[in-house]
Amino acid sequence: MIKRLVDYGIRTGLIDESERIYSTNLILDVMDLDSYDESEVCQEHKNYGDIGDELEDILSALISDAISRGVINDDQVSKDLFDTKLMNCITPRPSYVRRKFEKLYEESPEEATDWYYKFSCDTDYIRRYRIKKDLKWKTATRYGELDITINLSKPEKDPKAIAAARNAPQSAYPKCQLCAENEGYRGRMNHPARENHRIIPLRLAGEDFFLQYSPYVYYNEHCIVFNKEHTPMKIDRACFEKLFDFISMFPHYTVGSNADLPIVGGSILSHDHFQGGHYEFPMARAGYVRKFTIRDFPDVEAGIVKWPLSVIRLRCADRKRIIELASIILDKWRGYTDEAAYIFAETDGEPHNTITPIARKRGDSYEIDLALRNNITTEECPLGLYHPHSELHHIKKENIGLIEVMGLAILPSRLKNEIALLKEYILEGKDVSTEESIAKHAAWVIDFTKKYDNINGQNIDDIIRNEIGLVFSRVLEDAGVFKQTDEGLEAFERFIETI
């Protein structure tokens, strides 16, 4: 298995044949072995259709051996820390990765990102064998098709790992999982290993940023663009400039930012970052409810997007004009109050209004979608008025961040087992409310099963998936500050008139 891991590194171009002995010795060190006899190696092994499957088998065998000899503990976090250390033995140094990327970028930006994404998979930073376990489908709605995923690639900690993390010494290094200091970091029980992680430096709006891919890849080439400094998220004119700088550098990518306020923001507000990728999101395919022209900006195409959230789209060949108008809209929205629509710019000094921006290229034109957000809470909706309401929490309770704003649901892994149990109960006519693990779905099941004359073993998978997608559509509607109704669009128009 040690030989096969080195062979894998050579075959994928991570290392050169001349580095075989060096890499072997690094692996022996990690495995806590003092000797190695290649003459004893068995050359027979099965053929793999997927290179990721082969790597999984190699690493699994090495991990099992290390556990059997007491080199590591037998829990998921320890295994992940260990196999990352193994992969670092065949992962090039950062300087090589950056030079390679820069050279390919001179040929074309797409060649550079194609190589970097494959590299991130080959190093096992992106664990292909976990990603392919994710459940994915599309659901047709009044807003077009939405993308639904149940994420199974992010490992859940077992009780032993949770206890070890709780007892582990606390550290402020790296400050968060987005910091540049993660590159090459060995990890610990409460922080993932990043020894096989390599990042690409960028310059955006005069500031130093880095490019990396998400290890969980919610969509094709899911990238993260993060500030070199550990500085908080902030939506402002400079943010728009950075987004357009990025898509000018990588015109085949979409890029956006989470909002900068709790509830409507992402999971990490403490570190300035964007997310993007080589993917067309459902929102990008949505048309307009109506177009309008803003005074002093007749050259900028503008309109309300037919989307469950409240989105203004701007398009123009001149990015500076879009940035100028987007900044005006942001400033207007920050201070906008419409009591009739229950929109308040602030309460007791706490600001509520912000924007989730998404930028892309359309041929020779630049385009930005501005999703208007508000994080006000009420007694009835303590998690947020413009947040998934309680009757939908059985499917989605978490915040609606950038990726979901664009129409891609990231649903919790618990749903996989719950769906399997729901199928059994529905097909056998059993009462869903009597089983604790799925009782939360009971009212929903009663409601949607009435829509179908015949639910059977052949169609139940499609039915449940479709109904989950429709719930996600309602989740997005809850997040919209102006609803897609006559009354909601009238309120939207009142805001547009202030621009």
Side-chain angles (χ1 to χ4, degrees):
M1 288 298 175
I2 291 173
K3 180 180 185 300
R4 285 177 58 190
L5 183 56
V6 174
D7 287 344
Y8 168 90
I10 293 170
R11 194 166 68 252
T12 55
L14 295 176
I15 57 175
D16 187 76
E17 176 64 41
S18 64
E19 298 171 296
R20 178 180 291 278
I21 295 174
Y22 173 78
S23 299
T24 299
N25 285 329
L26 290 179
I27 296 169
L28 291 174
D29 179 39
V30 174
M31 294 294 294
D32 195 23
L33 295 170
D34 294 325
S35 61
Y36 174 76
D37 187 351
E38 196 165 291
S39 66
E40 297 177 1
V41 172
C42 174
Q43 297 296 335
E44 295 182 6
H45 59 268
K46 67 179 180 180
N47 293 320
Y48 293 87
D50 188 320
I51 196 170
D53 292 339
E54 178 186 10
L55 181 60
E56 181 182 23
D57 278 0
I58 294 170
L59 294 175
S60 179
L62 293 173
I63 287 169
S64 295
D65 177 80
I67 291 172
S68 71
R69 293 184 292 108
V71 177
I72 62 169
N73 294 325
D74 187 7
D75 65 75
Q76 190 59 56
V77 174
S78 295
K79 292 175 185 178
D80 283 358
L81 293 173
F82 187 74
D83 68 13
T84 303
K85 189 181 293 290
L86 286 171
M87 289 306 300
N88 187 49
C89 298
I90 58 169
T91 299
R93 292 294 183 103
S95 58
Y96 167 84
V97 177
R98 295 176 185 185
R99 285 196 305 269
K100 176 81 170 180
F101 186 90
E102 290 166 4
K103 183 177 180 180
L104 289 172
Y105 185 87
E106 291 175 0
E107 300 296 324
S108 85
E110 195 162 353
E111 278 192 44
T113 55
D114 284 351
W115 172 82
Y116 182 46
Y117 183 74
K118 180 181 180 300
F119 170 86
S120 300
C121 292
D122 289 342
T123 61
D124 207 37
Y125 173 71
I126 296 172
R127 297 173 184 260
R128 286 173 286 212
Y129 44 88
R130 289 183 182 170
I131 301 300
K132 70 178 186 179
K133 296 176 183 177
D134 292 347
L135 302 180
K136 300 181 180 183
W137 68 90
K138 296 180 182 293
T139 297
T141 73
R142 60 182 290 218
Y143 307 103
E145 282 192 332
L146 299 180
D147 294 337
I148 313 298
T149 68
I150 296 177
N151 182 257
L152 304 173
S153 57
K154 192 171 185 177
E156 297 183 5
K157 293 181 180 179
D158 57 39
K160 288 187 291 184
I162 292 171
R166 183 174 61 247
N167 297 327
Q170 295 302 303
S171 172
Y173 182 89
K175 292 180 180 177
C176 77
Q177 292 188 27
L178 289 181
C179 286
E181 289 77 13
N182 282 280
E183 186 178 40
Y185 185 62
R186 72 173 186 171
R188 53 185 189 268
M189 294 305 292
N190 56 5
H191 192 102
R194 292 291 182 254
E195 286 162 304
N196 57 348
H197 181 38
R198 303 293 182 262
I199 56 180
I200 304 297
L202 303 174
R203 190 82 173 158
L204 303 179
E207 295 185 35
D208 289 326
F209 275 72
F210 290 98
L211 170 68
Q212 68 172 62
Y213 288 106
S214 166
Y216 308 116
V217 193
Y218 294 138
Y219 50 86
N220 188 47
E221 296 181 35
H222 176 185
C223 70
I224 300 173
V225 184
F226 61 97
N227 201 310
K228 181 180 180 180
E229 304 299 325
H230 184 76
T231 186
M233 299 280 292
K234 187 177 183 182
I235 304 299
D236 56 10
R237 183 191 183 99
C239 170
F240 301 146
E241 291 173 348
K242 292 165 190 171
L243 294 179
F244 282 112
D245 271 2
F246 181 82
I247 63 168
S248 295
M249 295 170 66
F250 303 100
H252 56 297
Y253 272 20
T254 291
V255 69
S257 174
N258 267 303
D260 54 358
L261 293 178
I263 297 176
V264 296
S267 58
I268 301 179
L269 295 177
S270 60
H271 197 127
D272 185 25
H273 70 284
F274 314 122
Q275 294 184 77
H278 198 178
Y279 191 72
E280 183 180 54
F281 289 89
M283 188 168 74
R285 298 191 293 268
Y288 293 106
V289 174
R290 85 165 184 87
K291 293 183 179 181
F292 54 86
T293 301
I294 300 296
R295 186 182 58 187
D296 298 331
F297 291 88
D299 54 327
V300 179
E301 179 183 306
I304 297 173
V305 180
K306 186 178 180 181
W307 196 243
L309 281 94
S310 309
V311 180
I312 294 174
R313 178 170 294 161
L314 307 177
R315 184 184 298 162
C316 185
D318 185 349
R319 53 180 276 187
K320 293 181 181 178
R321 295 287 286 166
I322 292 188
I323 291 170
E324 183 69 33
L325 181 51
S327 302
I328 291 171
I329 293 172
L330 173 63
D331 290 342
K332 292 289 186 181
W333 179 244
R334 290 277 195 199
Y336 186 73
T337 291
D338 183 344
E339 294 187 15
Y342 209 87
I343 294 171
F344 296 88
E346 57 88 21
T347 55
D348 300 324
E350 179 186 352
H352 296 305
N353 290 348
T354 185
I355 279 177
T356 300
I358 302 100
R360 63 183 76 89
K361 284 290 293 287
R362 294 275 195 189
D364 294 330
S365 294
Y366 292 90
E367 185 173 280
I368 192 167
D369 287 344
L370 304 172
L372 308 180
R373 312 299 301 276
N374 180 288
N375 75 345
I376 197 168
T377 60
T378 65
E379 288 187 12
E380 297 79 13
C381 300
L383 297 179
L385 178 60
Y386 304 108
H387 176 88
H389 290 179
S390 58
E391 67 271 17
L392 307 179
H393 287 179
H394 65 103
I395 297 294
K396 177 69 177 178
K397 184 179 182 179
E398 298 78 15
N399 293 349
I400 302 304
L402 168 68
I403 295 171
E404 289 170 317
V405 165
M406 296 187 287
L408 192 155
I410 304 168
L411 301 181
S413 59
R414 63 173 171 81
L415 284 175
K416 179 185 178 183
N417 292 333
E418 291 174 10
I419 288 171
L421 205 50
L422 281 172
K423 286 169 55 179
E424 174 191 326
Y425 271 65
I426 293 171
L427 290 175
E428 295 180 10
K430 294 192 286 189
D431 185 354
V432 171
S433 65
T434 62
E435 168 53 47
E436 183 180 0
S437 64
I438 56 173
K440 56 182 169 289
H441 298 296
W444 171 59
V445 169
I446 291 171
D447 184 54
F448 80 69
T449 51
K450 295 175 183 176
K451 296 160 56 176
Y452 302 91
D453 295 330
N454 180 29
I455 299 179
N456 54 57
Q458 283 69 49
N459 64 15
I460 192 166
D461 287 315
D462 289 340
I463 288 173
I464 291 179
R465 288 187 171 200
N466 183 65
E467 293 298 330
I468 289 173
L470 295 177
V471 169
F472 179 62
S473 178
R474 290 176 57 198
V475 162
L476 294 184
E477 288 176 337
D478 284 350
V481 293
F482 301 117
K483 309 306 179 187
Q484 288 281 333
T485 62
D486 290 341
E487 183 180 7
L489 290 172
E490 285 178 12
F492 206 154
E493 298 274 3
R494 291 198 294 273
F495 169 66
I496 290 170
E497 288 171 2
T498 69
I499 300 172

